[in-house]
Amino acid sequence: MTYKILIADNFSVWATNGYDLMDSLHFIEAWITSLSYTFQLYFDFSAYSDMAIGISRMFGFKLPQNFNSPLQASSLLGFWQGWHMTMTRFFMEFVYNPISIRLTRKELFRRSEKFRFFLITVSIPTLITFLISGLWHGSTINFLCFGLIHGIGL
């Protein structure tokens, strides 16, 4: 809760003010605005996860861990292993795995070219999964681009 009130809400003010004045920002101000938004999102989600786990325990439920310091990760894969872990598991189980399994079965008898096999059975399902993840978060082009960039990055 302290993350939300003391940290995230203060970064929110800086981020909102910066994005309101986006046309007149200088280089350093633009970076401060972007980092403020990043930290606001980070601490908001961290606080939400802690509050959800704590409140659920008060009612006798045990929720799985959903946040594990993703900004300390040294790779994009590490980031996604620590950020919104339950959503990542959901997408792996219900989007990535079914696509990958179906493509693997179709491609199994034509495994002559290893790169092509990797592209079809790993890269394409990853890209589709992250595009859907982007759309899950919002229907604007920004979220679609977010999913596409992370899918390509992975």
Side-chain angles (χ1 to χ4, degrees), residues 121-132:
T121 60
V122 176
S123 298
I124 290 174
T126 300
L127 193 57
I128 291 170
T129 301
F130 272 91
L131 283 172
I132 292 170

Side-chain angles (χ1 to χ4, degrees), residues 6 30 46 67 74 84-85 92 97-98 104 118-120 137 153:
L6 295 178
S46 175
F67 193 78
S74 59
H84 210 327
M85 294 157 38
M92 284 294 292
N97 287 343
T104 301
F118 171 79
L119 182 69
I120 290 174
H137 286 89

